Amino acid sequence: MTGWFNVILQGVLIGGLYAMFAAGLSLIFGVMRLVNIAHGDLIVLAAYIALMATTSLGLDPLTSLIIVVPAMALIGYALQRGLLNRTLGDDLLPPLLVTFGLSIIIQNGLLELFTADSRKLQAGAIEVQTLQVMQGVWVGALPFIQFVVAVAVIAGLQQLFYRTALGRAFRATSDDQAVAQLMGLDTRHVFAMAMALSLAIVAIAGVFLAVRANFDPSIGPARLIFGFEAVIIGGLGSMWGTLAGGVILGVAQAIGAQIDPGWQLLAGHIAFLVILAVRPQGLFPKVSG
Amino acid sequence: MPDPLLDIRGIDAFYGDFQALFGVSLRVNAGEVVAIIGANGAGKSTLLKTIAGLMHPSSGDIIFDGASLGAMPAFAVVKRGIALVPEGRRLFPSLSVEENLLIGAESRRKGPWTLPRIYDLFPILAERRHVPATSLSGGQQQMAAIGRALMSNPRVLLCDEISLGLAPIIVKDIYAQLPSIAGEGLSVVIVEQDIAQALKAARQVYCLQEGRVALQGDARELTRERISAAYFGV
């Protein structure tokens, strides 16, 4: 019994990471209807920036966030102003193609710079520390921190969206771009702020991913799929739904892996397909105003 | 005669290959109410969109307060002091009434119009400040749309068909507020299908017909015959 409880608990914790993959995707799609195919590769890029920060400056991975988060946010702002804003229009295809190209460029650029070797961020003693939840059930300190951070990120996004002027600008721009401009909002700047925020979350996700497991330049697209699945399961436009989507995906994968290690990814995809078939709008779709 | 606050000099405007405005000229003095009338498709909304910077004239020029607006984008035009109440109100459905008003202040222009002043002008909005903008009635939505535009403390307020789809009594209520809005020294340009309403509210009237100014003059001097001739082109 505690065995299964343990499996589900580990699934929930990894779900926090998937929710962070998904939150940035969902934010960008919500504000500017842009499907960012390069999202997964940007997560890997963040992991490599963290790798450089930890090896060259001797920072531990969690401390490196104070460099990686602003660096990724800056990259996001520049990427949106310099490139992606030019692709936005009535047609959904150009941004899709451009971010697909970007995905390939990032993967190959990282391959050139860092080779195809698997890397990992070393967090030291905290990697093996555990907390006992109950008799026979233990959680790792890092997965626990990762989940708490994920919940904090989602809660923070929720507050930002509904309590701040920036969030108001995001929602207004999402509703009606032309009228948002009439209010004095430069939508190019609003979009760039949304991308900066998305990549700031990507930075956090990338660092936790790199501490938890090995990474190499080619793993981005699979992270993108996890992110997409979590967004769809949770329901587009809902922040807490995104967390639920990540958790469901994580638990499904953990249960699959427990039955047979080869079934880990398959179980996640099956859970996604079942929800898509039964409830295509996701579990917690945004209530339409 | 002093220089007008807003001076539109012979602008042409296109939607793709379709020309919507042909050499339209129009002058708005400070503190004046100007009405633009005309049939559907005469180019009234296009003219307002072009002034507000949502579209750009292909030739001609728009001079505001002595400087050309050129191809200035809409978010910069509102910062200079021209606000548009768009046709169909177009409040932000994801935002509450109060948030819709607050976002009107995004251009950060200082002036007499603040949230409490808007609530004084339209008390019903204060009562319903926390509900989603879409749950307001049509008339209340129009008040919110006007309030949202006023929050930018404009020097010129452009109103596109504010009576559209509203009960006559509501239209009367809204127009009754126009003098207290213009009383702040603000110029108002109204686009209106309701000619009687337009003639009552405005000092100068321009009638557009198929993208051209067919008639212009003092609201008190224009006769019904001349207006219908300009309106219908007969």
Side-chain angles (χ1 to χ4, degrees):
Chain A
M1 190 55 215
T2 51
W4 280 106
F5 183 75
N6 208 3
V7 166
I8 289 169
L9 187 61
Q10 306 308 327
V12 169
L13 295 183
I14 187 77
L17 184 62
Y18 296 162
M20 284 195 280
F21 293 168
L25 266 180
S26 180
L27 171 73
I28 290 305
F29 184 81
V31 174
M32 62 185 110
R33 306 289 178 275
L34 180 133
V35 178
N36 184 5
I37 301 290
H39 195 75
D41 303 291
L42 289 162
I43 295 171
V44 179
L45 175 66
Y48 276 101
I49 293 176
L51 181 71
M52 286 194 294
T54 50
T55 50
S56 62
L57 302 173
L59 299 172
D60 85 277
L62 295 187
T63 317
S64 80
L65 283 171
I66 56 173
I67 292 172
V68 184
V69 169
M72 287 303 288
L74 269 179
I75 290 172
Y77 192 93
L79 191 63
Q80 189 67 38
R81 282 308 284 250
L83 179 67
L84 297 177
N85 272 341
R86 293 161 206 270
T87 71
L88 294 173
D90 295 331
D91 193 353
L92 276 176
L93 199 56
L96 213 58
L97 291 175
V98 168
T99 55
F100 182 68
L102 197 61
S103 156
I104 294 169
I105 292 168
I106 294 172
Q107 281 181 46
N108 286 282
L110 290 174
L111 197 59
E112 278 296 316
L113 284 170
F114 297 98
T115 77
D117 293 351
S118 274
R119 312 299 279 269
K120 188 174 173 308
L121 293 187
Q122 304 298 339
I126 196 170
E127 283 190 48
V128 291
Q129 281 169 7
T130 55
L131 311 159
Q132 186 167 21
V133 180
M134 55 184 264
Q135 190 67 37
V137 177
W138 301 75
V139 296
L142 265 178
F144 180 72
I145 294 171
Q146 171 191 297
F147 187 77
V148 171
V149 168
V151 172
V153 164
I154 302 283
L157 265 182
Q158 185 81 11
Q159 289 295 312
L160 186 140
F161 250 72
Y162 292 97
R163 297 271 181 273
T164 69
L166 182 63
R168 197 159 65 213
F170 283 158
R171 284 180 290 142
T173 308
S174 170
D175 280 348
D176 193 330
Q177 280 189 40
V179 180
Q181 294 226 31
L182 288 177
M183 301 297 117
L185 290 169
D186 180 354
T187 50
R188 295 169 304 182
H189 173 73
V190 174
F191 289 162
M193 290 302 288
M195 188 54 92
L197 185 61
S198 169
L199 292 204
I201 300 165
V202 154
I204 301 172
V207 167
F208 277 105
L209 174 74
V211 175
R212 203 184 77 85
N214 291 332
F215 61 94
D216 65 66
S218 69
I219 67 161
R223 307 314 112 177
L224 172 72
I225 300 286
F226 294 163
F228 272 140
E229 290 183 344
V231 171
I232 301 295
I233 293 172
L236 265 177
S238 159
M239 293 295 166
W240 291 113
T242 301
L243 182 66
V247 166
I248 289 169
L249 188 64
V251 170
Q253 288 187 356
I255 291 174
Q258 183 71 8
I259 297 167
D260 181 315
W263 287 9
Q264 181 184 2
L265 295 184
L266 183 64
H269 297 327
I270 288 173
F272 162 70
L273 286 174
V274 166
I275 286 169
L276 198 58
V278 178
R279 210 179 143 77
Q281 71 274 39
L283 297 176
F284 307 99
K286 191 170 120 186
V287 275
S288 50
Chain B
M1 194 171 170
D3 279 346
L5 180 60
L6 181 66
D7 188 4
I8 295 161
R9 297 179 183 167
I11 57 168
D12 291 348
F14 289 80
Y15 290 101
D17 288 335
F18 173 76
Q19 186 163 2
L21 296 179
F22 296 84
V24 170
S25 295
L26 184 145
R27 295 156 73 95
V28 182
N29 294 314
E32 190 179 49
V33 178
V34 172
I36 302 171
I37 58 175
N40 269 333
K44 307 182 301 289
S45 292
T46 306
L47 178 58
L48 290 198
K49 280 191 212 162
T50 309
I51 300 170
L54 286 177
M55 294 174 64
H56 299 295
S58 58
S59 62
D61 206 354
I62 301 174
I63 312 291
F64 176 63
D65 197 14
S68 168
L69 295 182
M72 196 179 275
F75 66 86
V77 171
V78 65
K79 284 179 181 154
R80 297 285 298 275
I82 299 178
L84 172 64
V85 181
E87 186 180 354
R89 310 182 275 269
R90 288 171 76 174
L91 296 175
F92 298 109
S94 309
L95 273 56
S96 70
V97 173
E98 183 155 298
E99 285 178 318
N100 265 285
L101 295 175
L102 285 172
I103 208 150
E106 195 66 44
S107 54
R108 302 200 171 80
R109 286 175 56 85
K110 296 271 175 283
W113 293 104
T114 56
L115 210 47
R117 282 288 316 268
I118 303 290
Y119 287 149
D120 280 350
L121 188 66
F122 300 119
I124 185 70
L125 296 182
E127 229 169 88
R128 312 210 60 193
R129 63 210 286 175
H130 295 304
V131 306
T134 43
S135 65
L136 295 179
S137 72
Q140 292 164 359
Q141 286 193 25
Q142 191 64 70
M143 293 171 194
I146 294 170
R148 183 177 68 174
L150 286 175
M151 286 289 283
S152 71
N153 284 301
R155 298 178 65 192
V156 176
L157 181 69
L158 311 171
C159 299
D160 198 352
E161 307 247 5
I162 47 181
S163 65
L164 198 70
L166 299 182
I169 179 88
I170 308 280
V171 175
K172 224 181 111 206
D173 277 357
I174 290 176
Y175 270 98
Q177 301 291 0
L178 206 57
S180 61
I181 294 171
E184 300 283 351
L186 175 83
S187 307
V188 182
V189 178
I190 52 173
V191 155
E192 193 51 79
Q193 299 253 11
D194 183 340
I195 298 172
Q197 193 63 264
L199 291 178
K200 226 185 307 171
R203 186 182 177 89
Q204 284 289 316
V205 177
Y206 288 76
C207 183
L208 289 189
Q209 187 204 329
E210 290 174 1
R212 294 178 173 85
V213 177
L215 178 71
Q216 72 174 85
D218 192 304
R220 288 158 303 186
E221 290 165 11
L222 292 175
T223 62
R224 205 151 261 285
E225 289 69 33
R226 289 183 65 196
I227 290 173
S228 49
Y231 205 92
F232 299 110
V234 287

